[in-house]
Amino acid sequence: MIKQIQGNYSAPKVEKEVQEEWASEHAYEKTKQLRENGPRFYFLDGPPYTTGSIHLGTAMNKTVKDILIRYWRMNGYNVRDQPGFDMHGLPIEVQVEKKIGVHSKKQIEEEIGIDNFVKTCQDFAKGLHASMTDAFKQLGVWMDWDHPYQTLKLDYMESAWWTAKRAYERGLLKDSSRVVTWCPRCETALAEAEIDYWDETDPSVMVRFPLKDEKDVSLLIWTTTPWTLPSNMAVAVHPDETYAKVRMSGEKGSEDVIVMKFQAEFVMQKGGYDSFEILEEKVGKDLVGTAYIPPFEIGDGLKRTEYTYKVVDAAYVEKDNTGLVHTAPGFGPDDFETGKRYGLVPFCPVDESGRFTGDFPMMAGKKVKTINEDIIKHLEENGLLYNTSKVKHRYGHCWRCKTPIIYRNTRQWFIDVPKVKDTMLKEVDRVKWTPDWAGAAREKNWVDGARDWCVSRQRYWGIPLPVWECECGEKKVVGQYSELEEGEGYTKGMDTHRPWIDKVTFKCPKCGKDMHRIPDVMDVWFDSGVAAWADLGYPAKKDEFEKWWPPKFIVEAQDQTRGWFYTQLASGVVSFDRAPYDEVMMHGWMLDSKGRKMSKSLGNVVTPEEVIAEYGADALRYYMIMVNAPWEDTAFQKTGPKDAWKVLNTLWNVVNFAAMYMSLDKYEPSEHTLESVKADMRDEDLWMLSRTEKMKKAVTDGIESRELQKVARALTDYIMEDLSRWYLHLIRDRSWDEESTADKTASYYMLHRAIMSTAVALAPICPHISEKVYRAMDGEKLSVHMEDWQKADMSLVNEDLEHSMHLIQNIIEIVATERGKMGSKLRWPLKAIYIRGKDAKVNAAVKVFDEVLAQQGNIKSVDYLPEGGEVIGKDDVEPVPFDEGEIFIDFEITPEIEAEGYARELIRRIQQMRKDMKLNVDEYINVDVKAEPHLVDLFKTWQDHISAEVRAKQIEYTDEPAGDSVKDWDITGKNITIGVTSSKI
């Protein structure tokens, strides 16, 4: 049975009602159950960090996922839709540190205790997981919220251990002392994917390194990190470039320096000299082995070898600044590799917190980034500073605490990604990417430049690195908890986080001493990288893995090219020699209205909650996919959700109209089929049928191609133009007919079919309003989301009728424009228009709908002229072009047109008063009208028509109008008073 809906579309109220109905009826569970025997589809959810409220980017992410999951389910798939949450790592630790007021690892270990800190992290992550889940539910996302995968769960961690052991067994997991990116605030190594870059201003210095055997000549080096100069061990030159001993001269005197010849003039200017003279030239490789005096005297902490404090060669040296590069193997990856070639032992007098150690007594205890000026002052006092200035350059920062990173030589654990790079590249080619360039260019380029993946972190809240080591060097990697039973201190079911796992030891099979776990935890990106099998509990549990593996589809934001897309790919190839996905979709970011990243510091944050409170979740969802292709960034406009709401409100008004009249007429949708009504359908019904099938196809094609913006735009055009602006207006008179005729039934059938087709097509995008519409229109199933996806029947498409209606729409638009130019009121009918198509076919096409043209254009007469024909007796009528010909408009106002025009004006005012009085659509009224005699005479000629339109039992013309509502109106400069009284049936 058709049910009437509330008059106004209050989205928050509607959505609250729908969500309560879903919960009470277990709609989600029953919808999943309906498809449990369908083809299996493993969708893998990328886990967001449980660090706070969801933002618009998170809302966009879950919206895209929900749209596709609902779509696949409506296509009969048994979709695995387990949501995930990333609940370990620095993202959580940094938040907890702020909450409890600690600033260092020393405080955590000595004041708080690792156990208490870890428990706090766990509670914090679980609490935010609950609030984020509520936010996703408010957004209307249907996922298996009662059974999420969480990276902190012990069975999930066991799967990560299995992957680590798999890497070790394949010779891919190894430890090594290297220079890595390091956060001195978080006191841990970072991977490249955990570094954000922006511009910083740093010192730029040129420093003299006097030659050991020729002290009045200096190597001139350049650096932007003066604090690393105490760790200098060599100077690098390009082996094939020409270098010169140059005499710099000027008012302040002269000096001899060795620089790259190409840069001599630049260096002269930087030194404040007026001229230079080339004294000697050498190719870079001939300078190798040249000894110099370092700028600082360093004690025994720096181990000397053959090439310590000598010139070495390196191909990465560029034609820039002095062309000689200060080399500190303890503080730069390139420096480290160069030092390795020359047997230099890295010197790194900096501790985990970024402070100098006793190996550099002059600055011991000071933070490295704070002593640049002290270093510069020392250089100047000792005559070593050639030039100092400031330079703005791109510099890395910790992704979580935003502290500038340093490079530091430490012992870490790495996965040898380059060894499996070829397989990874083949997998990138195999996988389907949307858009294509996300894989073919972006992901492929990132993989092509892959380095060893540093998977160890010197922190607390994470999956412990499952490596035990003996002081003799023997190592043991644990892959499953059952292996822990061989050790001491393990209890089945115990928490395997730090610090409890740290107490488990093994007897060394080589020397018999105790083996202790490496204290590191694993990179949090490793946690999410194993999600495709860890969420299935593999390998401890194999049944779910065998049932679902591999995942079919993933979708995340563009930054995951170097993040989750990459770590999954690497982990999948390490574990299974394949990518753990078959299709990847990339979406863009939600930025502010100026295209900037939203942040509290900029005061430009717009939250999903505030948008939902005003316009509803459906409007937010609709806007986010409508404005751009999913993979493009969106500059969020606050008017955007409002515009989306207007589309949904228009649909609501259409349904309101349909429900009102269909329920009054007791129309039963189940009693009618296309076959039963087709003979009674008018051409406009068949046109709407054609447009509806085309809408279905456009929506399906858009979802299949992942071009969701095309889906939203197709629905917008259909709702706003085809359904509301045109078809609803075309059938109003038929709906108002008091009799139940076959013609009226045909219009109801088509309107109902159009609304239900819209509800089904809109269901994945706007799940709440589509549910409400579906139920009001007597949907057969518990939920619209249980419906099978509708396939377009292209045999019902009628291109000729669509062409004819397009011409009608084009002509009406032009007529309205010409009316505006002439000051002709839209409610006053035009006397006539004449159609002169470019050929007879055009005239015939227009004639199919000339009654529609007359009705919608408010035209008394529509006539046709042959090609070259003229309007007889109307010399003042000029032709106006339309798409396929010309029209002539007769604007003459006859007494009959005047009478009809004023009658229409009166009808409009009475209808507005009915609406303001909130009268039922079938309620009769009595009307009193006060107007000048001429107008009264005109109204009387249209008395019957006016009465029928406004459902008036009687209309009285009086000098003293009375009624339940009395109102004065100005109609084209004439004062009219109208009184309306309800006359209950």
Side-chain angles (χ1 to χ4, degrees):
M1 182 176 69
I2 302 290
K3 306 175 192 69
Q4 292 197 34
I5 57 175
Q6 62 193 47
N8 296 321
Y9 175 51
S10 171
K13 180 182 177 184
V14 167
E15 292 170 3
K16 185 174 184 291
E17 289 172 356
V18 169
Q19 291 187 11
E20 287 173 353
E21 289 166 1
W22 283 344
S24 65
E25 297 166 354
H26 304 288
Y28 163 73
E29 292 81 3
K30 290 176 181 177
T31 301
K32 282 192 73 171
Q33 188 177 15
L34 179 69
R35 306 298 185 183
E36 64 184 2
N37 294 321
R40 294 189 186 101
F41 193 105
Y42 181 5
F43 164 79
L44 180 61
D45 182 35
Y49 291 109
T50 50
T51 53
S53 302
I54 71 169
H55 51 76
L56 283 174
T58 326
M60 169 70 172
N61 176 268
K62 278 295 191 287
T63 293
V64 171
K65 292 172 179 177
D66 192 49
I67 288 170
L68 294 172
I69 289 171
R70 289 180 187 272
Y71 171 74
W72 292 320
R73 196 163 276 140
M74 293 173 81
N75 276 279
Y77 286 99
N78 178 11
V79 184
R80 189 176 196 280
D81 60 357
Q82 183 183 30
F85 291 91
D86 220 337
M87 304 176 76
H88 278 145
L90 275 179
I92 309 296
E93 289 198 51
V94 170
Q95 294 291 329
V96 170
E97 287 177 356
K98 290 178 182 176
K99 181 180 176 182
I100 63 177
V102 300
H103 308 286
S104 68
K105 289 169 70 174
K106 184 178 181 182
Q107 281 183 285
I108 292 171
E109 293 181 7
E110 296 181 3
E111 298 175 20
I112 306 296
I114 296 175
D115 55 348
N116 290 326
F117 182 72
V118 166
K119 286 176 182 176
T120 305
C121 288
Q122 188 174 57
D123 292 341
F124 180 85
K126 286 181 176 179
L128 286 178
H129 158 255
S131 63
M132 290 175 71
T133 297
D134 289 341
F136 290 138
K137 287 180 178 180
Q138 186 188 25
L139 193 60
V141 178
W142 268 13
M143 297 181 81
D144 193 358
W145 299 114
D146 291 337
H147 306 96
Y149 76 82
Q150 299 169 301
T151 57
L152 55 71
K153 291 288 185 70
L154 301 186
D155 56 351
Y156 189 100
M157 292 165 55
E158 184 178 22
S159 296
W161 279 16
W162 174 82
T163 304
K165 184 171 184 177
R166 178 93 170 118
Y168 186 73
E169 290 172 342
R170 299 183 69 177
L172 300 173
L173 179 65
K174 55 191 177 182
D175 65 312
S176 176
S177 290
R178 301 187 198 177
V179 171
V180 296
T181 47
W182 187 272
C183 176
R185 183 251 173 247
C186 299
E187 302 181 43
T188 185
L190 299 174
E192 183 61 31
E194 296 173 305
I195 300 170
D196 292 334
Y197 288 90
W198 61 80
D199 286 346
E200 288 274 9
T201 299
D202 280 318
S204 170
V205 295
M206 292 181 180
V207 182
R208 302 179 183 96
F209 283 10
L211 297 184
K212 188 173 183 179
D213 297 330
E214 200 174 351
K215 292 183 175 58
D216 56 348
V217 178
S218 297
L219 299 170
L220 198 60
I221 66 92
W222 169 82
T223 183
T224 59
T225 54
W227 64 267
T228 63
L229 287 170
S231 299
N232 173 268
M233 298 187 74
V235 171
V237 297
H238 195 288
D240 302 323
E241 294 294 336
T242 301
Y243 288 79
K245 181 194 293 184
V246 184
R247 178 159 296 158
M248 302 293 180
S249 303
E251 291 184 5
K252 63 180 181 180
S254 65
E255 67 174 299
D256 295 345
V257 294
I258 295 174
V259 297
M260 189 179 283
K261 180 182 177 182
F262 182 81
Q263 292 295 102
E265 183 175 357
F266 171 80
V267 172
M268 175 198 75
Q269 294 170 352
K270 284 291 184 180
Y273 292 107
D274 303 321
S275 62
F276 68 90
E277 177 186 357
I278 303 295
L279 303 178
E280 184 181 345
E281 295 183 16
K282 279 187 180 182
V283 177
K285 60 187 176 185
D286 294 336
L287 286 172
V288 173
T290 303
Y292 63 86
I293 300 171
F296 292 92
E297 292 184 10
I298 304 298
D300 295 339
L302 189 152
K303 293 182 171 53
R304 275 73 169 172
T305 58
E306 180 183 355
Y307 278 90
T308 302
Y309 301 142
K310 290 182 180 178
V311 174
V312 296
D313 72 323
Y316 55 75
V317 176
E318 298 177 349
K319 292 182 178 180
D320 191 20
N321 290 290
T322 67
L324 287 89
V325 177
H326 146 60
T327 300
F331 289 112
D334 290 335
D335 300 32
F336 179 86
E337 293 301 325
T338 299
K340 195 174 179 180
R341 282 194 294 117
Y342 282 93
L344 300 175
V345 180
F347 176 57
C348 183
V350 173
D351 66 15
E352 290 186 341
S353 65
R355 297 176 185 273
F356 280 102
T357 66
D359 284 336
F360 183 45
M362 183 187 298
M363 299 293 173
K366 293 184 177 181
K367 290 188 175 182
V368 296
K369 295 287 282 188
T370 67
I371 57 96
N372 280 327
E373 295 305 319
D374 293 335
I375 295 292
I376 292 170
K377 182 180 179 182
H378 171 85
L379 295 172
E380 189 170 22
E381 290 174 349
N382 286 273
L384 300 177
L385 186 66
Y386 181 86
N387 169 266
T388 181
S389 60
K390 296 290 184 181
V391 62
K392 182 180 282 189
H393 61 150
R394 192 166 174 262
Y395 198 86
H397 301 75
C398 174
W399 67 315
R400 297 320 299 184
C401 72
K402 310 308 177 186
T403 301
I405 62 163
I406 61 174
Y407 286 92
R408 183 169 175 270
N409 183 51
T410 64
R411 184 196 181 205
Q412 301 292 337
W413 286 79
F414 300 86
I415 291 180
D416 191 347
V417 175
K419 274 190 179 179
V420 293
K421 185 174 77 172
D422 289 346
T423 303
M424 291 171 67
L425 289 170
K426 288 177 184 176
E427 285 297 286
V428 172
D429 289 338
R430 178 188 66 80
V431 169
K432 178 183 177 183
W433 297 82
T434 302
D436 180 70
W437 52 263
R442 185 172 291 187
E443 188 69 32
K444 200 160 191 176
N445 290 344
W446 186 257
V447 173
D448 201 39
R451 299 180 178 180
D452 285 355
W453 177 8
C454 179
V455 295
S456 51
R457 297 290 181 272
Q458 291 65 54
R459 295 298 303 185
Y460 312 102
W461 178 236
I463 298 177
L465 186 70
V467 179
W468 276 255
E469 188 174 39
C470 180
E471 62 184 46
C472 74
E474 185 71 10
K475 296 178 181 65
K476 177 182 179 66
V477 178
V478 172
Q480 291 188 260
Y481 292 156
S482 58
E483 298 171 41
L484 294 174
E485 295 173 4
E486 303 169 12
E488 295 291 329
Y490 173 71
T491 303
K492 192 171 184 179
M494 67 176 279
D495 192 338
T496 49
H497 283 99
R498 295 195 68 188
W500 303 282
I501 191 64
D502 299 339
K503 299 172 183 176
V504 177
T505 61
F506 292 93
K507 287 297 179 185
C508 177
K510 188 174 180 181
C511 71
K513 293 183 180 179
D514 286 343
M515 302 178 78
H516 296 273
R517 196 189 69 81
I518 301 294
D520 298 341
V521 296
M522 300 190 76
D523 177 9
V524 71
W525 287 98
F526 192 86
D527 290 29
S528 58
V530 302
W533 52 97
D535 68 340
L536 300 171
Y538 183 85
K541 302 171 186 173
K542 294 185 171 59
D543 52 341
E544 286 294 292
F545 182 86
E546 292 168 358
K547 180 179 177 181
W548 292 100
W549 177 269
K552 297 285 192 296
F553 182 91
I554 60 172
V555 53
E556 297 299 332
Q558 57 179 284
D559 54 330
Q560 299 309 316
T561 300
R562 65 176 191 161
W564 196 52
F565 299 161
Y566 175 77
T567 58
Q568 275 199 100
L569 177 61
S571 300
V573 168
V574 166
S575 300
F576 304 102
D577 290 314
R578 60 154 291 160
Y581 42 71
D582 293 332
E583 181 181 351
V584 178
M585 179 179 173
M586 183 187 80
H587 68 76
W589 288 328
M590 297 298 291
L591 308 172
D592 77 355
S593 60
K594 297 178 181 178
R596 303 172 301 174
K597 188 175 181 180
M598 292 188 187
S599 70
K600 290 180 181 178
S601 61
L602 292 175
N604 62 351
V605 175
V606 179
T607 67
E609 290 84 0
E610 62 188 271
V611 178
I612 292 172
E614 188 167 3
Y615 299 112
D618 283 349
L620 175 59
R621 290 166 64 116
Y622 199 62
Y623 166 68
M624 289 191 296
I625 68 157
M626 177 173 61
V627 65
N628 281 329
W631 44 88
E632 294 176 0
D633 292 342
T634 295
F636 185 89
Q637 307 296 327
K638 291 189 177 180
T639 56
K642 182 178 181 180
D643 292 338
W645 178 88
K646 288 178 181 177
V647 177
L648 303 181
N649 185 56
T650 299
L651 173 62
W652 189 264
N653 290 336
V654 170
V655 176
N656 207 352
F657 174 90
M660 183 185 304
Y661 286 98
M662 290 179 186
S663 60
L664 283 173
D665 288 327
K666 296 180 173 51
Y667 175 75
E668 291 292 342
S670 60
E671 295 177 2
H672 306 282
T673 65
L674 180 58
E675 290 70 27
S676 69
V677 302
K678 196 165 188 181
D680 300 309
M681 294 177 88
R682 297 186 189 182
D683 283 341
E684 50 262 45
D685 302 323
L686 296 173
W687 166 80
M688 190 61 187
L689 184 63
S690 179
R691 295 299 298 156
T692 300
E693 297 309 307
K694 277 195 173 177
M695 178 273 289
K696 293 177 185 177
K697 184 177 188 305
V699 170
T700 301
D701 289 349
I703 297 179
E704 285 293 332
S705 66
R706 314 303 184 226
E707 296 171 291
L708 301 183
Q709 80 283 6
K710 292 184 177 180
V711 175
R713 291 168 191 175
L715 282 164
T716 298
D717 288 345
Y718 181 78
I719 293 168
M720 300 298 284
E721 295 296 322
D722 299 337
L723 183 54
S724 175
R725 184 180 175 191
W726 286 99
Y727 190 65
L728 197 65
H729 283 264
L730 291 174
I731 66 168
R732 276 186 187 275
D733 289 347
R734 295 157 76 185
S735 302
W736 292 337
D737 192 334
E738 296 287 350
E739 302 296 325
S740 293
T741 63
D743 177 55
K744 184 177 185 179
T745 298
S747 71
Y748 277 173
Y749 170 83
M750 190 58 241
L751 179 58
H752 182 270
R753 181 182 177 116
I755 291 171
M756 291 299 267
S757 295
T758 305
V760 172
L762 189 63
I765 303 165
C766 302
H768 305 95
I769 189 173
S770 58
E771 187 75 276
K772 206 72 171 178
V773 168
Y774 178 81
R775 295 185 178 196
M777 290 286 102
D778 199 28
E780 295 178 353
K781 299 183 184 300
L782 173 67
S783 168
V784 66
H785 305 288
M786 289 181 169
E787 283 285 345
D788 291 338
W789 188 253
Q790 51 197 6
K791 305 295 189 292
D793 184 350
M794 299 310 287
S795 69
L796 300 177
V797 171
N798 190 321
E799 296 291 358
D800 290 338
L801 281 179
E802 292 200 32
H803 175 240
S804 292
M805 188 63 83
H806 168 76
L807 292 176
I808 296 298
Q809 292 167 339
N810 177 229
I811 292 168
I812 288 174
E813 185 177 341
I814 290 167
V815 168
T817 301
E818 295 301 311
R819 275 180 177 271
K821 293 177 182 176
M822 296 295 291
S824 173
K825 302 174 186 64
L826 290 176
R827 287 182 180 79
W828 290 44
L830 292 172
K831 182 179 180 183
I833 70 167
Y834 302 85
I835 310 296
R836 186 170 71 188
K838 64 183 181 182
D839 55 37
K841 289 182 179 179
V842 174
N843 281 4
V846 175
K847 198 163 188 175
V848 171
F849 285 123
D850 59 3
E851 288 185 12
V852 171
L853 177 55
Q855 178 194 24
Q856 298 300 305
N858 197 8
I859 303 161
K860 300 301 291 183
S861 173
V862 179
D863 293 310
Y864 298 86
L865 301 172
E867 188 176 355
E870 298 291 338
V871 179
I872 300 172
K874 293 287 182 180
D875 296 337
D876 59 337
V877 177
E878 296 293 329
V880 181
F882 71 99
D883 282 356
E884 297 185 29
E886 295 173 315
I887 57 175
F888 298 81
I889 306 173
D890 187 348
F891 286 103
E892 181 184 357
I893 299 177
T894 65
E896 292 79 12
I897 287 176
E898 183 187 22
E900 184 174 347
Y902 275 113
R904 288 174 180 267
E905 299 284 2
L906 181 62
I907 290 169
R908 177 197 167 201
R909 271 61 176 193
I910 296 172
Q911 295 286 39
Q912 183 60 50
M913 292 177 72
R914 285 184 62 103
K915 183 177 180 182
D916 293 343
M917 294 168 69
K918 296 181 170 56
L919 300 182
N920 292 330
V921 69
D922 58 344
E923 195 167 334
Y924 283 96
I925 59 174
N926 292 320
V927 180
D928 286 357
V929 177
K930 177 185 176 183
E932 63 182 61
H934 176 62
L935 290 185
V936 170
D937 291 341
L938 293 179
F939 291 150
K940 286 180 178 179
T941 64
W942 281 82
Q943 182 98 341
D944 292 344
H945 178 75
I946 295 170
S947 297
E949 289 291 307
V950 302
R951 295 184 74 82
K953 281 188 171 183
Q954 64 178 26
I955 300 177
E956 294 287 342
Y957 300 96
T958 174
D959 290 337
E960 296 182 2
D964 299 335
S965 175
V966 179
K967 193 167 184 179
D968 294 326
W969 297 92
D970 181 333
I971 299 178
T972 67
K974 298 183 185 296
N975 294 322
I976 296 176
T977 303
I978 304 172
V980 175
T981 303
S982 172
S983 177
K984 299 286 187 180
I985 299 174

